[in-house]
Amino acid sequence: MFTGLSAFPLTPTDESGVDERAYARLVARLAAAGVDSIGALGSTGGYAYLTREERARATRVAVEAAGDTPVLVGIGALRTAQVLALAEDAQKAGAAAVLLAPMTYQPLGDDEVFGLYEDVTRELSVPLCVYDNPRTTHVDFSDELHGRIARLPNVAAIKIPPVPGDPAAARERVAALRALVPDTVSLGVSGDWSAATGLSAGCDVWYSVLGGLFPAVALALTRAARNGDAAGAAARSACLEPLWELFRRHGGLRVMSAAAAHLGLASEPNLPRPLRGLAAEDRDRLVAVLDGLGLASAAPEDRDRAGRNPEGA
């Protein structure tokens, strides 16, 4: 489960709740595409904005729609008691693993972060992936802290931020962390623009925003890197640079929200307030980028599932 491509789909949500039908469609198409795992309720899935009940229902929908594809479920919350409740919900729903980011309002010290993972892993019966995402959590993991947490029971993977762009520096970064964690713990890269470099530098898995909506493109890049074709993976990533630039500027969530709506795979609005979608000119730029990459329309089977064409007519 913690190798290859882990695709993280949007959770279409408005003020009335999660659009479960659209969400099931998004998850099912990832399973049909052959992704290695599906990341439900990650940052692209808007987990932090959903209630416990919404998250529990979304987890059940994702597990059912994914079929035999393993589902990794985000359980991050502000209080440890809430995390434990979410972990229980995810396990009851059939999640293959859980993903935990240390959400916080007050700054957390290393012992507090370690204590969170210690408390949660003590109660788990499924593997846990440590989610290191300083952009959203404002928690900075040292390699030493990762090493401590990685030795806790049930810790099976670490999802790290983007690696350096220079291949040699990326290899050094991955090697330095790998030297401090058990061999049984997988290392995975996030930050889609660094995926090719991270995979070629020794990361086991790409936790992918792009893969949540365009799995075939993400799979091709992943397979190239995992098969030792670093140049081919880098070339595929370079072709996607116009999209990566939009990710860096607006965040993957807003970009995938607009793309899903453009493809007719989610209605609008599909983000919970106070989040708002891309402005008109940014959306026009996204459509132009998708068109240039040959990604501006959904596959016929997706249109059939959606009951409309990509433009929503």
Side-chain angles (χ1 to χ4, degrees):
M1 174 171 51
F2 296 112
T3 60
L5 176 68
S6 187
F8 280 63
L10 175 77
T11 309
T13 307
D14 61 21
E15 294 315 288
S16 65
V18 174
D19 184 341
E20 295 181 13
R21 182 181 176 187
Y23 186 50
R25 233 172 17 235
L26 288 169
V27 172
R29 68 195 292 272
L30 299 180
V35 302
D36 298 291
S37 65
I38 294 170
L41 301 176
S43 295
T44 308
Y47 74 95
Y49 298 92
L50 304 181
T51 66
R52 177 183 177 183
E53 292 73 19
E54 288 171 332
R55 292 169 72 165
R57 288 184 61 85
T59 299
R60 291 194 293 271
V61 169
V63 170
E64 181 177 353
D68 294 333
T69 304
V71 177
L72 168 70
V73 177
I75 59 169
L78 287 173
R79 293 184 59 187
T80 300
Q82 295 169 326
V83 175
L84 291 170
L86 292 163
E88 181 180 5
D89 293 342
Q91 291 173 110
K92 286 182 177 178
V98 294
L99 172 70
L100 177 56
M103 292 179 64
T104 189
Y105 177 78
Q106 295 291 340
L108 295 179
D110 282 3
D111 286 344
E112 290 169 318
V113 175
F114 179 82
L116 167 66
Y117 287 94
E118 185 178 40
D119 289 342
V120 173
T121 55
R122 187 183 296 122
E123 304 295 328
L124 280 178
S125 59
V126 298
L128 178 141
C129 177
V130 176
Y131 189 3
D132 181 354
N133 187 2
R135 178 177 177 180
T136 58
T137 65
H138 308 292
V139 172
D140 290 307
F141 284 81
S142 66
D143 285 359
E144 290 72 22
L145 179 58
H146 271 309
R148 290 176 64 196
I149 293 171
R151 286 170 171 76
L152 290 169
N154 294 308
V155 173
I158 302 172
K159 181 178 188 281
I160 65 173
V163 298
D166 176 70
R171 288 192 295 273
E172 290 178 6
R173 169 74 194 103
V174 174
L177 181 54
R178 196 174 289 284
L180 296 176
V181 304
D183 293 340
T184 54
V185 173
S186 162
L187 297 183
V189 64
S190 60
D192 281 18
W193 53 90
S194 77
T197 305
L199 289 169
S200 296
C203 286
D204 303 295
V205 56
W206 173 18
Y207 296 104
S208 176
V209 175
L210 179 75
L213 198 57
F214 302 107
V217 177
L219 279 166
L221 189 157
T222 302
R223 300 297 184 250
R226 295 279 293 165
N227 289 333
D229 184 7
R236 290 179 182 276
S237 183
C239 289
L240 294 165
E241 176 55 31
L243 193 54
W244 301 155
E245 193 275 332
L246 290 172
F247 278 19
R248 291 190 294 266
R249 182 185 303 177
H250 303 292
L253 172 58
R254 292 182 180 85
V255 175
M256 289 296 99
S257 163
H262 178 70
L263 295 177
L265 298 175
S267 59
E268 290 188 297
N270 59 45
L271 295 176
R273 292 298 182 98
L275 297 178
R276 296 177 185 250
L278 296 181
E281 64 182 84
D282 296 319
R283 185 180 180 119
D284 289 345
R285 171 60 181 159
L286 170 62
V287 171
V289 167
L290 294 177
D291 186 57
L293 295 172
L295 301 175
S297 62
E301 60 269 24
D302 293 325
R303 295 197 294 270
D304 291 342
R305 294 190 190 104
R308 55 182 180 243
N309 69 24
E311 289 73 33

